[in-house]
Amino acid sequence: MLPGFGLSLGFTLGYLSLLVLIPLSTVFAKSAALGWTGFWEAATTARVLASYRVSFGTAFIAAALNTLFGLLVAWVLVRYPFPGRKLIDAVVDLPFALPTAVAGIALTTLYAPNGWLGKPLAALGVKAAFTPLGIIIALTFIGLPFVVRTVQPVLQDLERESEEAAVSLGASRWQTLRRVVFPAIGPALLTGFALAFARGVGEYGSVVFISGNMPMKTEIAPLLIMTKLEQFDYAGATAIGAVMLLVSFVLLFTINLLQWWSRRRTA
Amino acid sequence: MSDLPRSAAVGEPRLVRWTLIALALGFLALFLIVPLVAVFAEALRKGVAVYLAALREPDAVSAVRLTLLAAAVAVPLNLVFGLAAAWAIAKFQFRGRSLLLTLIDLPFAVSPVIAGMIFILLFGAQGWLGPWLQARDIQVVFAVPGIVLATTFVTFPFVARELIPLMVEQGPEEEEAAIVLGATGWQTFRRVTLPNIRWGLLYGVILCTARAIGEFGAVSVVSGHIRGETNTLPLHIEILYNEYHFAAAFAVASLLTLLALVTLAAKSLLEHRRREPMPAVEPAIEAA
């Protein structure tokens, strides 16, 4: 038997409680102190409801885009050799490594009406920066690596023999993809989607610059929390925070469930 | 199998293949490479003199100092925590092990703004400990300690998340052998465990440091936004940008971008050393 169990577990639990669990519990304690009606009123004003719509709506669309393009990128990286593949593979993690404020100002400058990409879009009559589209662009950037990095290892482990078997049994390539490949990577795709969505819902730094922050239109829920804290409306901020935390916990639980499912499938 | 060459049987025609590659590269170029180039182009737009001046300005220097201070506290704390958590989880079986793993991931699941807010609810004037702190004239939020706390919170899981899968995979056998041969616990850790996990540990520390330096939302909530006092580098960028000092904002941003590129390079190098892919930069909520 190895030594250090009591010490290491004791330190782990103590540090976890002091830094994470006790501070997080303040959100629920403070919400409970508001009483049910007080909480409900603070968490469901028209402006707050609009911010949920913006946050969840844009995060959903961005996660869906990332699922599509993430699958494409993972597929190309795993299946097709091409020059520079290693470099491209490394660059995929950029959104994880780049500070969100940097991403925020870079994207805003690019998509502003006089920016490199904003100008051609404006010529087409599309406004990107300071509209919900801008938020979707920022969240697509932020969530990009999640789907690639969850699908890529599953694709790598997928045995080519099962595809060959399908073909030798007379399946067309499309049938093989639909019946053999997609079911195998389905759970990983869903996990990647959920991870990107969860990240997008809470994201702040990359969005505040490009969104324009107009109440009822392009104001995300995390920004509304920030605004309420600046106005010392702690009750209002806490109520929104509690709703967002609950959603995060549900998503965390779902993701754990999805991964358990995905491991059971591949095992 | 002999009738059909493998690529034809389970691959796509050449045209489809190159179309997919072009689409994927186009998407990545548009979303990753163009913003990266834009940071440096905007930073140097007004010339090297303006670029260097933005980095030498006193407010920028004090932002660098505060950012490094926050990282210097957060990283060692989370390093010790990561080692302790990985030791307990990887070397022993106990009830609630997978619950503990999920709880360690919590800071990844929480919005950065909420990560900042909880410290205001705890230490702010109206917070649980607010009156007690006020009576003793101790300022936590809207001051340096708040920034350090928020940074430590958001970087909490990084080292642990890197080490746990690695040490679970290695199992307790080598350490048990060392103990049986008469080594003390500390010797075992230093001579057996540490050499086995050094690359993962190094990578975890790099990730933790990069995130500590780049954190924006959580720090923004608890910072008083006092120039020269409670501004970290990302907050300094925000102020410069909002005051239309675009070249200066991007000059400071280019420093953080270089740091991000170094992180990516370190990941590729260490991956090469370990000969197997590492978890992504933000392992998020993998493997419970």
Side-chain angles (χ1 to χ4, degrees):
Chain A
M1 197 54 182
L2 292 174
F5 177 62
L7 181 67
S8 60
L9 189 63
F11 180 80
T12 301
L13 293 178
Y15 186 68
L16 175 74
S17 308
L18 277 180
L19 188 66
V20 178
L21 300 183
I22 294 175
L24 277 179
S25 70
T26 57
V27 176
F28 297 109
K30 180 101 184 168
S31 299
L34 297 177
W36 180 245
T37 42
F39 175 81
W40 189 251
E41 271 168 25
T44 59
T45 66
R47 186 171 168 191
V48 174
L49 288 177
S51 80
Y52 298 144
R53 260 197 301 279
V54 174
S55 276
F56 292 113
T58 52
F60 186 88
I61 296 172
L65 280 173
N66 273 325
T67 308
L68 190 69
F69 285 102
L71 173 63
L72 173 69
V73 170
W75 180 265
V76 166
L77 284 176
V78 172
R79 289 293 171 98
Y80 305 148
F82 60 91
R85 186 163 73 155
K86 278 243 164 68
L87 188 70
I88 298 294
D89 193 27
V91 171
V92 166
D93 279 332
L94 181 73
F96 283 159
L98 194 69
T100 53
V102 177
I105 63 168
L107 292 173
T108 311
T109 306
L110 281 175
Y111 287 95
N114 58 355
W116 292 354
L117 300 169
K119 213 174 208 165
L121 281 176
L124 296 171
V126 179
K127 270 190 72 178
F130 319 124
T131 68
L133 179 62
I135 305 178
I136 293 170
I137 291 170
L139 293 181
T140 306
F141 173 85
I142 286 298
L144 192 151
F146 286 106
V147 176
V148 180
R149 292 302 185 225
T150 45
V151 172
Q152 205 178 9
V154 181
L155 267 181
Q156 244 145 16
D157 292 344
L158 198 67
E159 292 187 1
R160 298 294 281 265
E161 282 72 22
S162 48
E163 285 170 65
E164 283 168 349
V167 172
S168 67
L169 291 171
S172 71
R173 182 67 187 144
W174 177 241
Q175 280 173 324
T176 313
L177 285 176
R178 216 171 39 132
R179 298 285 183 80
V180 179
V181 178
F182 290 151
I185 58 175
L189 263 181
L190 264 177
T191 308
F193 173 87
L195 284 169
F197 179 68
R199 174 68 198 260
V201 165
E203 177 59 20
Y204 173 75
S206 60
V207 176
V208 280
F209 296 98
I210 203 170
S211 67
N213 306 327
M214 296 219 311
M216 310 299 290
K217 289 200 184 106
T218 57
E219 185 176 55
I220 53 167
L223 180 79
L224 190 53
I225 295 180
M226 190 74 124
T227 309
K228 289 193 180 285
L229 285 174
E230 274 164 8
Q231 297 162 349
F232 301 103
D233 176 8
Y234 290 158
T238 314
I240 307 171
V243 171
M244 304 277 296
L245 265 186
L246 278 177
V247 172
S248 303
F249 292 163
V250 170
L251 282 169
L252 185 68
F253 180 72
T254 314
I255 290 161
N256 275 331
L257 218 62
L258 278 169
Q259 278 172 339
W260 172 79
W261 180 39
S262 141
R263 263 199 311 277
R264 226 184 43 155
R265 272 189 96 111
T266 48
Chain B
M1 281 291 100
S2 54
D3 297 335
L4 289 164
R6 189 170 228 218
S7 57
V10 297
E12 285 70 46
R14 226 185 148 77
L15 183 67
V16 174
R17 209 161 62 216
W18 284 104
T19 311
L20 291 179
I21 293 178
L23 272 175
L25 292 185
F27 172 74
L28 292 178
L30 186 66
F31 272 88
L32 299 182
I33 308 299
V34 174
L36 200 58
V37 174
V39 170
F40 293 102
E42 293 290 329
L44 293 167
R45 171 171 282 195
K46 293 209 172 133
V48 179
V50 173
Y51 180 84
L52 292 176
L55 301 183
R56 286 204 202 113
E57 187 212 349
D59 287 343
V61 174
S62 90
V64 170
R65 207 172 290 139
L66 179 58
T67 306
L68 292 179
L69 170 75
V73 177
V75 176
L77 276 176
N78 289 331
L79 169 66
V80 173
F81 161 72
L83 283 169
W87 183 265
I89 289 171
K91 307 295 176 188
F92 303 93
Q93 297 290 333
F94 54 91
R95 273 177 57 180
R97 203 161 153 262
S98 50
L99 176 68
L100 180 58
L101 269 169
T102 309
L103 291 179
I104 290 175
D105 276 338
L106 272 182
F108 279 153
V110 171
S111 168
V113 172
I114 295 176
M117 180 177 81
I118 55 181
F119 292 106
I120 290 184
L121 295 181
L122 207 51
F123 299 113
Q126 302 173 35
W128 286 359
L129 298 172
W132 189 87
L133 289 168
Q134 241 168 5
R136 280 154 192 81
D137 209 21
I138 306 170
Q139 180 115 23
V140 175
V141 289
F142 312 128
V144 173
I147 291 175
V148 173
L149 269 173
T151 305
T152 313
F153 178 93
V154 292
T155 57
F156 174 86
F158 280 93
V159 180
R161 249 21 217 107
E162 231 12 79
L163 290 184
I164 292 169
L166 189 64
M167 284 170 68
V168 166
E169 197 187 318
Q170 287 166 354
E173 290 80 15
E174 285 187 43
E175 279 84 359
E176 277 163 4
I179 297 283
V180 169
L181 292 171
T184 66
W186 175 239
Q187 281 173 329
T188 307
F189 174 75
R190 227 176 32 146
R191 301 273 185 81
V192 179
T193 312
L194 220 45
N196 276 339
I197 59 170
R198 60 191 168 177
W199 299 118
L201 186 67
L202 179 62
Y203 185 54
V205 168
I206 291 174
L207 290 185
C208 193
T209 312
R211 180 65 192 269
I213 290 174
E215 176 53 31
F216 175 66
V219 168
S220 180
V221 175
V222 294
S223 159
H225 297 280
I226 307 164
R227 268 183 216 219
E229 282 179 42
T230 59
N231 265 343
T232 61
L233 276 178
L235 297 177
H236 186 57
I237 294 174
E238 182 192 26
I239 291 185
L240 289 173
Y241 188 85
N242 286 340
E243 290 177 350
Y244 305 104
H245 298 305
F246 294 132
F250 278 101
V252 180
S254 73
L255 280 188
L256 294 179
T257 308
L258 285 174
L259 180 78
L261 293 177
V262 168
T263 313
L264 293 185
K267 183 191 177 216
S268 298
L269 273 177
L270 292 173
E271 216 163 61
H272 188 67
R273 272 208 181 266
R274 286 197 343 188
R275 297 248 164 245
E276 58 175 86
M278 298 218 170
V281 174
E282 187 154 337
I285 306 155
E286 286 165 74

